[in-house]
Amino acid sequence: MRTQPVERESYFEDSEERVLELPQLFCIKGPFSGSVTTVYTSPFVLGRGEDCHLVLDDVSISRNHARITVEGDQYLIEDLESTNGTLVNGTRINGLQKVTHNDVILLGSIAFKFIRKTSVELEAFQENTLLAYQDRVTGDNNGAAFDRYFPYLLNKAKAHSLSVHLLAVEVGQGESENPKKRLNSEALAVKASGILKKILAPETLYKADHTRFLATFLGVDNETIHNRILRLCSPGTNPVSEIEFTVGIARREDAQDIRSTDVTTLLSEADKALGLAQSTGGQVFRYFLSNDKFFGEIPSPGRMEKAQQQPHFTSQLLVATEHNDLKIYQVQKWLDENYHMALHIAALAKQFYFGERNLNKRFKKATGYSPKDYIQKLRMERACYYLENTGLPVITIAQSVGYSDAAAFSKAFRKVKGLSPKAYRTGCR
């Protein structure tokens, strides 16, 4: 939204009463919420056209949508045969309609409140309204502003055939050993906000909650997004080492794929991708697109070194995953953490909202193994690790990887490895 430069003198008289009584349009709904525009001339035309006094670049607005004029001490508005019409206080107007203080004017999907207040009153009104859409610490738009603005961004993307990317970014303390470099929550948020704006350069940045930001992009290609995240998250490129970023991504590359339900769907997808990125922070930092595609990975030497110092074991089956099926990756991740439990494929399918047959088919296509074979390989892989690196009795190892007795474990181990657990341990020493 923008106002054209004043090309003629204001129609307001220079009396004190006129100077104090400022006619304003305060946007209360739409992508320009919180903005205030002075009705500085008569007639004052609102629309999508470049020659309008107030340009509203929104798909719901006609080229010349409505016009405000002044007659004596009265303000009148009329619709200019727009597609979606002009409503005053909920009623569609035909011809000239008087507007007074606090009347609500709806143009398409954008709503304004018509204000006639003194300048001091207007500033207080604007400040109180903006507080509802602004984070008090960083000054960024907040979650309420995202809920209000994002639908219009999607409409704009669809109207102009632009791609949409939504990034969910979790902010946390880095791995600095110096306690003095650790930031309190407010300082962390402020610094993180500055870094995100500088490196990601989003169209709009929102502080959604205590540690999570949302960044929106219109018409930015995947490679550019990838490079910006690489700069944000890679060691040596992040200008503030004491801050760590984790990223989940949702996108719509084809504007024709954008649906009205995407207002909530894209946010849900980005949050799920963020959760997956957080869950893989062991040997490598990964960030994901949510629409069933692995987007990329960034090696993190600090995390790798830390992981190597830990006694736990990470499945090479999971690390070696190269497919692009996000839901199957989630199943794999869960199995990697719960391989020792009594597992039934029907229950597993239900847990991840698959049909049993569909899970078997999709899992094998993605990994090359059936779920049953994959679980067995996980157990044997973990058993090998314990046989190679510990002196635990075979029965203890068997129970730790999900077998109730040593005989069943030895039989399964021999089938996979071609020799007994004892012989395998001897050969490794």
Side-chain angles (χ1 to χ4, degrees), residues 71-265:
E71 290 185 6
D73 196 40
Q74 292 186 337
Y75 298 91
L76 307 172
I77 188 169
E78 62 180 318
D79 185 74
L80 300 178
E81 299 182 353
S82 65
T83 301
N84 293 314
T86 301
L87 286 75
V88 176
N89 297 328
T91 302
R92 188 161 183 159
I93 65 173
N94 292 301
L96 289 169
Q97 170 73 39
K98 180 181 176 181
V99 286
T100 58
H101 177 59
N102 271 342
D103 280 349
V104 175
I105 301 169
L106 182 66
L107 310 179
S109 58
I110 301 177
F112 296 93
K113 184 169 281 193
F114 188 79
I115 304 294
R116 293 186 70 179
K117 290 175 178 264
T118 65
S119 56
V120 174
E121 289 174 327
L122 181 64
E123 287 176 7
F125 177 72
Q126 183 179 10
E127 181 179 356
N128 290 335
T129 304
L130 287 177
L131 283 174
Y133 300 106
Q134 193 175 70
D135 181 74
R136 66 176 182 83
V137 175
T138 65
D140 296 319
N141 292 315
N142 61 15
F146 175 84
D147 293 339
R148 185 176 289 271
Y149 172 76
F150 196 55
Y152 298 94
L153 181 139
L154 293 179
N155 285 338
K156 184 176 180 180
K158 195 170 184 69
H160 298 283
S161 299
L162 300 172
S163 64
V164 175
H165 284 80
L166 173 63
L167 273 61
V169 184
E170 186 75 17
V171 176
Q173 294 281 357
E175 298 179 352
S176 173
E177 296 180 358
N178 186 350
K180 294 182 179 180
K181 288 188 176 182
R182 295 187 67 83
L183 303 170
N184 62 41
S185 59
E186 292 189 355
L188 182 70
V190 171
K191 279 200 172 185
S193 173
I195 295 169
L196 290 170
K197 289 173 184 174
K198 181 178 180 180
I199 296 182
L200 292 183
E203 177 161 325
T204 312
L205 183 69
Y206 303 86
K207 188 170 183 287
D209 54 37
H210 187 60
T211 59
R212 186 172 59 108
F213 287 82
L214 299 171
T216 58
F217 301 83
L218 268 186
V220 182
D221 60 87
N222 284 331
E223 184 177 357
T224 300
I225 296 287
H226 175 97
N227 290 335
R228 290 178 187 178
I229 297 175
L230 190 67
R231 286 187 60 210
L232 180 72
C233 299
S234 293
T237 59
N238 182 341
V240 183
S241 60
E242 63 265 29
I243 299 180
E244 185 177 85
F245 299 94
T246 310
V247 182
I249 311 170
R251 67 176 175 182
R252 295 291 183 271
E253 287 190 274
D254 188 344
Q256 299 306 312
D257 292 337
I258 296 175
R259 302 288 182 267
S260 59
T261 55
D262 281 343
V263 174
T264 54
T265 303

Side-chain angles (χ1 to χ4, degrees), residues 138-403:
T138 65
D140 296 319
N141 292 315
N142 61 15
F146 175 84
D147 293 339
R148 185 176 289 271
Y149 172 76
F150 196 55
Y152 298 94
L153 181 139
L154 293 179
N155 285 338
K156 184 176 180 180
K158 195 170 184 69
H160 298 283
S161 299
L162 300 172
S163 64
V164 175
H165 284 80
L166 173 63
L167 273 61
V169 184
E170 186 75 17
V171 176
Q173 294 281 357
E175 298 179 352
S176 173
E177 296 180 358
N178 186 350
K180 294 182 179 180
K181 288 188 176 182
R182 295 187 67 83
L183 303 170
N184 62 41
S185 59
E186 292 189 355
L188 182 70
V190 171
K191 279 200 172 185
S193 173
I195 295 169
L196 290 170
K197 289 173 184 174
K198 181 178 180 180
I199 296 182
L200 292 183
E203 177 161 325
T204 312
L205 183 69
Y206 303 86
K207 188 170 183 287
D209 54 37
H210 187 60
T211 59
R212 186 172 59 108
F213 287 82
L214 299 171
T216 58
F217 301 83
L218 268 186
V220 182
D221 60 87
N222 284 331
E223 184 177 357
T224 300
I225 296 287
H226 175 97
N227 290 335
R228 290 178 187 178
I229 297 175
L230 190 67
R231 286 187 60 210
L232 180 72
C233 299
S234 293
T237 59
N238 182 341
V240 183
S241 60
E242 63 265 29
I243 299 180
E244 185 177 85
F245 299 94
T246 310
V247 182
I249 311 170
R251 67 176 175 182
R252 295 291 183 271
E253 287 190 274
D254 188 344
Q256 299 306 312
D257 292 337
I258 296 175
R259 302 288 182 267
S260 59
T261 55
D262 281 343
V263 174
T264 54
T265 303
L266 276 167
L267 180 59
S268 175
E269 290 177 0
D271 281 339
K272 287 180 180 178
L274 176 61
L276 185 57
Q278 290 172 315
S279 71
T280 60
Q283 291 186 324
V284 70
F285 178 86
R286 294 180 174 181
Y287 55 98
F288 290 83
L289 284 168
S290 60
N291 53 347
D292 289 345
K293 290 187 178 179
F294 175 72
F295 192 57
E297 63 180 24
I298 303 173
S300 179
R303 288 186 174 184
M304 291 178 70
E305 182 179 349
K306 185 177 179 180
Q308 289 167 0
Q309 295 171 357
Q310 301 300 319
H312 73 273
F313 175 82
T314 300
S315 168
Q316 294 306 304
L317 282 173
L318 187 65
V319 172
T321 295
E322 295 181 355
H323 62 79
N324 294 326
D325 193 326
L326 180 62
K327 285 196 70 176
I328 294 301
Y329 187 90
Q330 291 174 324
V331 176
Q332 288 179 265
K333 180 64 180 174
W334 188 89
L335 289 174
D336 186 59
E337 296 172 352
N338 298 279
Y339 64 93
H340 57 283
M341 297 171 57
L343 298 172
H344 302 281
I345 305 305
L348 184 66
K350 185 177 181 180
Q351 179 175 336
F352 287 91
Y353 303 99
F354 284 105
E356 185 175 352
R357 183 177 178 184
N358 185 31
L359 173 61
N360 278 297
K361 182 178 179 181
R362 193 161 157 180
F363 196 97
K364 188 163 187 176
K365 181 179 179 181
T367 67
Y369 303 102
S370 68
K372 183 178 180 180
D373 289 342
Y374 186 87
I375 293 167
Q376 187 179 58
K377 284 190 70 68
L378 273 179
R379 289 172 171 174
M380 294 303 108
E381 184 184 56
R382 193 65 55 96
C384 289
Y385 173 79
Y386 288 135
L387 290 168
E388 293 170 14
N389 296 282
T390 74
L392 293 172
V394 172
I395 182 59
T396 303
I397 294 174
Q399 292 171 347
S400 71
V401 299
Y403 289 89

